[in-house]
Amino acid sequence: MCGIVGYLGKKQAAPILLGGLEKLEYRGYDSAGIAVLADSSLEIAKTVGKLQVLKDKLVDNLPAGYMGIGHTRWATHGKPSDTNAHPHTGCSDAFVVVHNGIIENYQKLKEWLINKGHTFKSETDTEVLPHLIEHHYKGDLAAAVQDMVRLLEGSYALAIMSTKEPDKIVAVRKDSPLVVGLGQEEYFLASDIPAILNHTRETYILEDGEMAVLTADGVTVYNSLGEKIVKEIFHVQWDIQAAERGGYPHFMLKEIFEQPRAIKDTTSGRINDAGIVDLGLQMTPTEIAKFEKIAVVACGTASYAGMVGKYVMEKMLRIPVEVDIASEFRYRDPLVDEKTLVLVISQSGETADTLAALREAKARKAKVVAITNVVGSSVSREADEVIYTWAGPEIAVASTKAYITQLVAIYLLSMHLAQAKGMISQHEAEELALAIKKLPELADEVLGQAANIELWAKSIAKWEDAFFIGRGIDFAVGLEGALKLKEISYIHAEAYAAGELKHGTLALIVDNIPVIALATQEALFDKMVSNIKEVKARGANVTAVAFAGNEEIQASVDQVIYLPKTLPILAPVLTVIPLQLLAYYAAVARGSDVDKPRNLAKSVTVE
């Protein structure tokens, strides 16, 4: 996600802020900015583009002052631009804020502030924050910040300065990480440890609801009730490379463990307890009613998210859904027209084949909705409608959190379309909404089994072949599991619809060959067990992935990975996590370059 830095001490702040932001570039961003406070004079510099653009802008005009805050932005609300870049101020420059996270209720707060006479300059959710502080300020910056956060819904890490109190920085967090660095007569803020590791290894790790006030005299930390607390100092022992990965050995593992947060961010503010979905789409129920089919177009991992989407959308909408590999779509003279909804999916929003397919669909008068992770990308600009996944930057080539948030976006879109078409009851919508909101917690539970999955993966790592089998929506997840295993471990892996085994694939089963059987769909369970017995009878070593409470399957397989229960239609969000971990640990066991597998690139921008 975005990056935050802050400094208060006896050195010039600007070089430290820029240096800290440079250490956070690995996180991905689309704009950068700093604010430096000297006495009661505030100087802000920010620009769209890479940090070097900001440095070039400041090369002969570096702001002077001994305290400041800085930010690298990954756009969620509003396109990448100078205006939308952080830091943000209110009606005056009296208060300045940088923010990581998402303010879910910003629109309601913005409307309320406008009615109070406030004027806004940007498209961001963040800009409501300095305006709220202006409204609440009565001579105590920390108190105004506390009053403000009581109004906020969503996630945030904040760093705040004010010309009215030019001797302090106030920082507060909820869900988004924030670290205070403790130096010699100087203090630091950062959203991630690498930004301050060149200056200090002594830190406070702020917990949810905690607020830190930095002054020349030291750091005071308060809990959510406004009470002073004593924080334990955390001494950082990692080197800078490990720090960039949050202490994880690889970015891929870090990103796998970030998935509960990514799921929560992607659903935040988009679905309520009544099951009402708000994706910000402009399509009317009348437009939606005219769609006679849906065409999903994507490449690689995104196409497998689309395969899951086919099962979900056909079940919920009762209209045909086709899934096309984008590189084939426009060459088969596709049957799409103004009665077709085309859903294009791309993590980067720059995938060449997907972009070409989008243009082909629009040329044929189809309505195009895009699911992408990058605001301002080509796909997001050219589609008629866009749904952002808010997964945050993904560094590892093999996609994990981007895939899982694409799934979540598909569920939300399916609900939205079903509600517009009157295809889902109120009870069903509420049940599905509750289950979706529980997914981050359940994903955490699955991640708790990582140690057991690592042992399982080490045995599979000895093989050159592996097979994934499943029925229905499980088959679609198996395709993604097989792709993950082969792209980073280089094990030849294939996924098959389990009913197809007897039509040729059984010839490949030999003693002890690993078979991963996905069995989360109760309606298909008996048939799945029969398929498992077919491969067991020929000597396969079978690992099943099933819901907790399904003791029956243990008698038919060699080992089971149990998932916490959710609705069967949502199973793919949880099922894919052990498959990602399997691929990761198998690749590590085989000595592969996990984050940069051979011959592959993160964004495929050529056909």
Side-chain angles (χ1 to χ4, degrees), residues 456-530:
W456 167 43
K458 285 179 179 177
S459 65
I460 291 175
K462 300 171 185 176
W463 284 82
E464 294 304 320
D465 300 281
F467 298 97
F468 293 72
I469 60 174
R471 283 179 173 265
I473 206 167
D474 281 338
F475 166 55
V477 182
L479 291 166
E480 171 62 10
L483 176 62
K484 281 292 152 288
L485 187 60
K486 56 192 167 191
E487 73 179 324
I488 63 169
S489 75
Y490 315 141
I491 294 171
H492 170 245
E494 298 295 341
Y496 293 94
E500 282 292 291
L501 287 168
K502 60 181 69 68
H503 296 286
T505 313
L506 278 174
L508 299 173
I509 302 300
V510 297
D511 281 350
N512 290 317
I513 196 167
V515 174
I516 297 91
L518 309 183
T520 69
Q521 301 302 297
E522 186 177 349
L524 297 166
F525 180 74
D526 290 341
K527 292 186 181 296
M528 190 64 202
V529 169
S530 296

Side-chain angles (χ1 to χ4, degrees), residues 137-208:
Y137 187 75
K138 296 179 176 64
D140 186 333
L141 181 61
V145 172
Q146 286 179 322
D147 288 340
M148 173 192 68
V149 298
R150 293 188 186 102
L151 301 176
L152 303 183
E153 298 172 11
S155 58
Y156 47 83
L158 307 176
I160 301 143
M161 299 189 305
S162 175
T163 57
K164 295 180 180 294
E165 298 182 37
D167 60 343
K168 70 180 61 169
I169 300 174
V170 177
V172 62
R173 69 151 286 182
K174 177 180 177 289
D175 295 332
S176 295
L178 201 56
V179 178
V180 178
L182 309 173
Q184 297 296 319
E185 297 185 307
E186 58 182 359
Y187 305 97
F188 306 85
L189 273 176
S191 52
D192 213 349
I193 286 171
I196 60 175
L197 205 50
N198 285 342
H199 304 283
T200 182
R201 290 179 177 268
E202 308 302 312
T203 67
Y204 292 148
I205 309 295
L206 296 186
E207 303 295 334
D208 276 357

Side-chain angles (χ1 to χ4, degrees), residues 146-436:
Q146 286 179 322
D147 288 340
M148 173 192 68
V149 298
R150 293 188 186 102
L151 301 176
L152 303 183
E153 298 172 11
S155 58
Y156 47 83
L158 307 176
I160 301 143
M161 299 189 305
S162 175
T163 57
K164 295 180 180 294
E165 298 182 37
D167 60 343
K168 70 180 61 169
I169 300 174
V170 177
V172 62
R173 69 151 286 182
K174 177 180 177 289
D175 295 332
S176 295
L178 201 56
V179 178
V180 178
L182 309 173
Q184 297 296 319
E185 297 185 307
E186 58 182 359
Y187 305 97
F188 306 85
L189 273 176
S191 52
D192 213 349
I193 286 171
I196 60 175
L197 205 50
N198 285 342
H199 304 283
T200 182
R201 290 179 177 268
E202 308 302 312
T203 67
Y204 292 148
I205 309 295
L206 296 186
E207 303 295 334
D208 276 357
E210 290 182 348
M211 181 176 73
V213 179
L214 286 62
T215 69
D217 296 326
V219 178
T220 306
V221 181
Y222 301 86
N223 63 19
S224 59
L225 300 176
E227 302 164 336
K228 287 185 183 180
I229 59 173
V230 177
K231 289 286 288 183
E232 182 178 349
I233 293 176
F234 174 72
H235 177 76
V236 180
Q237 296 182 328
W238 314 322
D239 60 21
I240 187 65
Q241 289 79 20
E244 289 178 352
R245 299 186 299 266
Y248 291 96
H250 297 95
F251 280 110
M252 183 178 177
L253 188 62
K254 177 176 182 281
E255 288 158 10
I256 289 172
F257 275 82
E258 286 175 343
Q259 288 180 126
R261 164 57 42 207
I263 295 168
K264 186 173 182 179
D265 283 348
T266 299
T267 58
S268 289
R270 289 173 159 175
I271 186 168
N272 64 21
D273 292 340
I276 304 301
V277 176
D278 181 6
L279 294 169
L281 303 180
Q282 302 303 309
M283 288 185 294
T284 65
T286 301
E287 286 182 279
I288 292 169
K290 78 177 184 181
F291 296 134
E292 295 180 353
K293 74 172 183 178
I294 297 174
V296 182
V297 183
C299 299
T301 284
S303 74
Y304 294 145
M307 284 288 290
V308 173
K310 172 181 171 66
Y311 288 91
V312 173
M313 289 186 283
E314 286 190 340
K315 183 177 181 64
M316 293 181 68
L317 303 176
R318 308 310 300 161
I319 60 174
V321 178
E322 301 172 353
V323 181
D324 267 287
I325 297 169
S327 57
E328 295 293 325
F329 178 75
R330 64 192 174 119
Y331 299 115
R332 69 171 181 85
D333 195 15
L335 299 175
V336 301
D337 55 24
E338 67 277 1
K339 295 180 180 179
T340 307
L341 175 64
V342 174
L343 176 62
V344 299
I345 309 173
S346 169
Q347 185 279 137
S348 67
E350 302 294 344
T351 311
D353 289 314
T354 305
L355 193 54
L358 181 158
R359 291 165 180 162
E360 180 70 18
K362 292 194 73 171
R364 293 171 182 258
K365 309 301 182 186
K367 185 81 168 182
V368 178
V369 175
I371 293 176
T372 185
N373 195 35
V374 181
V375 176
S377 60
S378 297
V379 162
S380 72
R381 294 195 308 271
E382 296 191 30
D384 297 305
E385 307 263 18
V386 62
I387 303 168
Y388 293 111
T389 53
W390 295 346
E394 205 176 48
I395 307 300
V397 167
S399 180
T400 53
K401 62 178 181 173
Y403 169 85
I404 216 165
T405 53
Q406 287 165 359
L407 292 186
V408 172
I410 287 169
Y411 287 116
L412 295 177
L413 175 62
S414 300
M415 284 188 71
H416 174 72
L417 297 176
Q419 288 167 339
K421 290 170 66 69
M423 298 296 293
I424 185 170
S425 71
Q426 183 61 34
H427 172 72
E428 290 169 328
E430 291 175 2
E431 182 183 38
L432 193 50
L434 180 62
I436 288 173

